[in-house]
Amino acid sequence: GAGVSQSPSNKVTEKGKDVELRCDPISGHTALYWYRQSLGQGLEFLIYFQGNSAPDKSGLPSDRFSAERTGGSVSTLTIQRTQQEDSAVYLCASSFGYSSYNEQFFGPGTRLTVL
Amino acid sequence: AQTVTQSQPEMSVQEAETVTLSCTYDTSESDYYLFWYKQPPSRQMILVIRQEAYKQQNATENRFSVNFQKAAKSFSLKISDSQLGDAAMYFCAYTGTASKLTFGTGTRLQVTL
């Protein structure tokens, strides 16, 4: 079956613009995670969904970041008024269940560059 | 809060040789899972091996094995018979009560002929 897909693969934007990053999880996976990978901060957790609800948003760095998930499937991460420090690779992962033992399957990421 | 430390930014191994990547972690939780992920230049994170903390037996997956020392909070990855395709970034990661992954800073593995 298909793996986790993310779009776009690469995104270049100007400082101050809004961007939307999309994640399509593996069909049937109820848990979905967003992570950010940057040179300065390494790999860090952003937000986690169980179905359409987000019980853990603790990793979102500011109120410019938001995410939603609809139909228990596709998720969108939105960054408003982008800043240069938002430049990073944004990784999405999904897993069959919510528990820690469930393997997380990762997508190829979206590389965001803010000029 | 849980932390994961990888003290080797880069490692190099000759093809067919064995290499060990180090990882230590800190947690107050009793139930947790440890992982090694591989990230090639394609950026796709791939699970290499997983260890449940309650299991004393070290996990093994073909050429990959771990040395899990729970008391020392150490979780190293051994790659035997290294292949050119093993060249990648390797991340040690932790999950506990919360299912989110906490990652180390990574070790870049180079495989030479």
Side-chain angles (χ1 to χ4, degrees), chain B residues 43-87:
Chain B
R43 297 196 309 239
Q44 188 100 34
M45 299 282 280
I46 301 164
L47 179 64
V48 174
I49 198 165
R50 174 172 68 184
Q51 175 78 42
E52 294 87 345
Y54 64 86
K55 289 188 176 179
Q56 292 188 339
Q57 187 174 6
N58 289 325
T60 300
E61 289 287 341
N62 301 313
R63 297 183 295 107
F64 299 87
S65 61
V66 299
N67 183 3
F68 174 47
Q69 300 291 324
K70 190 172 183 178
K73 295 181 180 173
S74 170
F75 182 61
S76 61
L77 174 69
K78 186 172 82 171
I79 306 174
S80 303
D81 185 26
S82 296
Q83 301 175 0
L84 293 177
D86 294 334

Side-chain angles (χ1 to χ4, degrees), chain A residues 33 37 100-101 104 106 108-109, chain B residues 39 43-44 50 96 99 101:
Chain A
Y33 304 79
Q37 185 172 23
S100 296
Y101 62 77
Q104 294 184 27
F106 282 79
Chain B
Q39 187 180 41
R43 297 196 309 239
Q44 188 100 34
R50 174 172 68 184
S99 59
L101 287 162

